[in-house]
Amino acid sequence: MEPKGKKILIADDEPDILEILSYNLTREGYETITAKDGEDAIQKARLYKPDLIMLDVMMPNKNGMEVCKLLRTQPVYQDTLIIFLTALSDETSHIKGLEYGADDFISKPVSPKILVSKVNALFRRIQKPDDKTIQTGSIIIDPVKFVVTINGQDIVLAKKEFELLHLLATKPGRVFLRNEILSQIWGTEVIVGDRTIDVHIRKIRQKLGIDCITTVKGVGYKMVV
Amino acid sequence: MEPKGKKILIADDEPDILEILSYNLTREGYETITAKDGEDAIQKARLYKPDLIMLDVMMPNKNGMEVCKLLRTQPVYQDTLIIFLTALSDETSHIKGLEYGADDFISKPVSPKILVSKVNALFRRIQKPDDKTIQTGSIIIDPVKFVVTINGQDIVLAKKEFELLHLLATKPGRVFLRNEILSQIWGTEVIVGDRTIDVHIRKIRQKLGIDCITTVKGVGYKMVV
DNA sequence: TTTTGCGTAAACATATTGTTAAGATGGAAC
DNA sequence: GTTCCATCTTAACAATATGTTTACGCAAAA
């Protein structure tokens, strides 16, 4: 199977389980990293930035719940998928796990078929929300990479310019009032003149080359569809 | 079968066994070296630095256990895999072997299928921790060796510098906010000034020579793709 | 014609980062 | 213990990108 470019961290204190999970996921094209306990999992997570983390609930040196809780507090792991490995019919863990932000559960003993299908399903599900890119027409806006790609060419925008374009692109065709724009980009605290928006709009139009922003006189601006 | 680039040293006093093992492993793509007794094994190990050593427990001129014990005392062979060849149901050897740092056992008479699968499994297990390198463009980052290689030339980075570069390289193209960087590299406990990050970034850029880190003003830093 | 709202360019102000050097720290060698 | 060394951190200042305002022009609506 061709590589999927996804890293999976597996944490369990039983080497046999690690072996089985790792083998099956590797065969599916995933890259796997293993950890033998909670502390090890946290360290490896920090090191490898996996896309998915599988945590055994019962582990020495911080159990799965604790690890999950800890990771979720950090913004970097906000979008990381987390699966718990639980004993069959362990309802308490399920409820607690959901509170801590688990994405799914797999019961032991692990069926390779279920394992693989669940993992695939999760990655399929986040495919959209994970890349928060917005595409309208030939313009691709990627807030993660902080670049605007247009016809395959990357264009660098300044922070405010980017935020402004991104805001308009969230609802293409919808008109954003000047007030809306001000409160969204600048916040309610700072007060800037009206011309400020114009100037930024101009710079965006200039840098993009394409006229993708329409002026609605007396109202605001909108993205063309 | 294509070569795996792994060397296996087989030590046994029975030529027939050497023949069988060597044949099956070679057919799997491994490179094999044979030794006829304990002393010979030690000498060949020193000479060839094999990735795996298979030791017959009963051998003239130092038996398998003695050889294992001797090798394990030397740091060079700390990570070398060692498999013992034992008579069927030789419990004592198993227990002793584990004490001496054996990784697995194979009972005689040897089944080629079991042999191959065990060897493969062992290499698969150690493959993960060994394969931690990140490569982006011409830059190779190896957290194990703690070395950054760029165009075949090794560059030495200090700890913080290395961690920072490594963090950015985990998700090339993605922008890491200053907060993220701080919490990842420095943790939430310690508080360092903003300039600290800049200084480290500068040192990295200086040492690498290539401008592989882009600064996104008001946002953070990112690795170029 | 007058008014209103927006576009544009340049000037200005500010925030953010780059750079350098100098202490602070801690570990290794002696 | 002392000395040495590399690393880390901070502070001060320079450089630059960015954000904002100003001033003026234009066009369409009243």
Side-chain angles (χ1 to χ4, degrees):
Chain A
M1 178 134 288
E2 79 285 352
K4 289 190 166 65
K6 298 282 186 187
K7 279 178 283 189
I8 300 179
L9 171 61
I10 313 166
D12 199 308
D13 55 332
E14 293 170 65
D16 292 350
I17 302 266
L18 287 180
E19 176 77 31
I20 293 169
L21 297 178
S22 178
Y23 171 73
N24 281 288
L25 293 171
T26 305
R27 219 181 41 162
E28 273 290 306
Y30 295 105
E31 189 182 333
T32 60
I33 305 135
T34 55
K36 63 180 186 300
D37 58 42
E39 290 289 1
D40 195 19
I42 292 171
Q43 217 167 340
K44 297 260 173 73
R46 185 171 294 175
L47 192 61
Y48 296 111
K49 301 283 172 309
D51 303 281
L52 188 153
I53 302 174
M54 305 184 59
L55 296 169
D56 184 26
V57 174
M58 304 287 262
M59 274 192 299
N61 296 325
K62 285 201 172 54
N63 66 42
M65 296 289 168
E66 294 175 289
V67 174
C68 178
K69 197 174 165 187
L70 249 160
L71 292 177
R72 282 295 194 222
T73 58
Q74 295 184 268
V76 198
Y77 304 109
Q78 217 71 278
D79 298 327
T80 308
L81 295 170
I82 294 181
I83 291 181
F84 277 113
L85 301 171
T86 63
L88 193 60
S89 73
D90 180 359
E91 285 295 331
T92 325
S93 292
H94 276 231
I95 294 164
K96 263 190 164 175
L98 284 174
E99 278 176 22
Y100 290 156
D103 294 288
D104 207 341
F105 299 85
I106 293 180
S107 306
K108 292 183 181 180
V110 179
S111 143
K113 247 187 166 174
I114 291 177
L115 166 78
V116 167
S117 71
K118 283 206 174 191
V119 168
N120 284 336
L122 273 183
F123 276 121
R124 217 177 310 123
R125 198 204 299 166
I126 64 148
Q127 203 174 9
K128 306 290 174 256
D130 188 44
D131 50 21
K132 290 165 179 162
T133 55
I134 300 174
Q135 178 160 13
T136 40
S138 56
I139 303 165
I140 303 168
I141 302 166
D142 190 336
V144 179
K145 295 183 177 177
F146 213 85
V147 283
V148 176
T149 309
I150 175 168
N151 296 328
Q153 192 176 7
D154 282 7
I155 293 169
V156 180
L157 294 184
K159 195 184 166 198
K160 281 276 188 306
E161 292 160 23
F162 190 89
E163 289 175 351
L164 182 44
L165 178 66
H166 183 261
L167 174 64
L168 296 180
T170 50
K171 307 266 185 184
R174 207 205 111 176
V175 182
F176 285 83
L177 310 180
R178 295 180 98 89
N179 288 338
E180 281 184 283
I181 295 173
L182 285 176
S183 65
Q184 285 293 318
I185 310 290
W186 279 268
T188 47
E189 319 283 298
V190 283
I191 297 168
V192 293
D194 249 18
R195 290 287 71 68
T196 304
I197 299 180
D198 307 356
V199 173
H200 281 104
I201 290 285
R202 166 174 154 59
K203 286 201 182 143
I204 294 170
R205 285 172 170 157
Q206 195 171 275
K207 284 188 179 176
L208 293 194
I210 304 174
D211 189 30
C212 56
I213 299 174
T214 309
T215 307
V216 183
K217 270 200 167 181
V219 185
Y221 295 92
K222 70 171 178 181
M223 200 87 177
V224 295
V225 281
Chain B
M1 177 133 288
E2 78 283 354
K4 289 190 167 65
K6 298 284 185 186
K7 279 177 284 188
I8 300 178
L9 171 61
I10 313 165
D12 199 308
D13 55 332
E14 295 171 64
D16 293 350
I17 302 268
L18 285 182
E19 178 76 31
I20 294 171
L21 296 178
S22 180
Y23 169 74
N24 281 287
L25 292 171
T26 305
R27 217 180 43 158
E28 273 291 305
Y30 296 105
E31 187 182 333
T32 59
I33 306 135
T34 55
K36 63 181 188 298
D37 58 42
E39 289 289 2
D40 194 17
I42 291 172
Q43 217 167 341
K44 297 262 172 73
R46 189 171 296 169
L47 193 59
Y48 295 107
K49 298 280 176 307
D51 303 282
L52 187 154
I53 302 173
M54 304 183 60
L55 296 169
D56 184 27
V57 174
M58 305 288 262
M59 275 191 300
N61 295 327
K62 285 200 172 57
N63 67 41
M65 295 291 167
E66 293 174 290
V67 174
C68 178
K69 196 175 167 186
L70 248 160
L71 292 178
R72 282 294 194 223
T73 58
Q74 294 183 270
V76 198
Y77 303 109
Q78 215 72 277
D79 296 327
T80 307
L81 296 169
I82 294 180
I83 292 181
F84 278 114
L85 301 171
T86 64
L88 191 60
S89 73
D90 179 359
E91 286 296 331
T92 326
S93 292
H94 277 231
I95 295 163
K96 262 191 165 177
L98 284 174
E99 278 175 24
Y100 289 157
D103 294 287
D104 209 341
F105 299 87
I106 293 179
S107 306
K108 291 183 183 179
V110 179
S111 142
K113 246 187 167 174
I114 291 177
L115 166 78
V116 167
S117 72
K118 284 208 173 190
V119 169
N120 283 337
L122 274 182
F123 277 120
R124 210 180 316 125
R125 199 199 299 167
I126 65 154
Q127 197 186 359
K128 304 305 166 236
D130 194 45
D131 184 38
K132 291 170 178 174
T133 55
I134 298 175
Q135 177 159 15
T136 40
S138 56
I139 302 166
I140 303 168
I141 301 166
D142 191 335
V144 180
K145 296 180 182 173
F146 211 83
V147 175
V148 176
T149 309
I150 175 168
N151 295 329
Q153 191 176 8
D154 282 8
I155 292 170
V156 180
L157 294 185
K159 194 182 166 203
K160 281 278 186 305
E161 292 160 21
F162 189 89
E163 287 176 351
L164 184 43
L165 178 67
H166 183 262
L167 174 64
L168 296 180
T170 51
K171 307 268 184 184
R174 211 206 107 172
V175 181
F176 286 83
L177 311 181
R178 295 180 99 88
N179 288 338
E180 283 184 282
I181 294 173
L182 285 176
S183 66
Q184 285 297 308
I185 310 289
W186 279 268
T188 47
E189 320 283 298
V190 281
I191 297 169
V192 292
D194 250 17
R195 291 285 71 68
T196 304
I197 298 179
D198 307 356
V199 173
H200 282 103
I201 291 283
R202 166 169 157 62
K203 292 217 179 120
I204 294 170
R205 294 208 252 234
Q206 195 171 274
K207 285 187 179 175
L208 293 194
I210 304 174
D211 190 30
C212 57
I213 299 173
T214 309
T215 123
V216 183
K217 259 201 165 179
V219 185
Y221 293 92
K222 70 174 174 181
M223 200 88 176
V224 296
V225 281

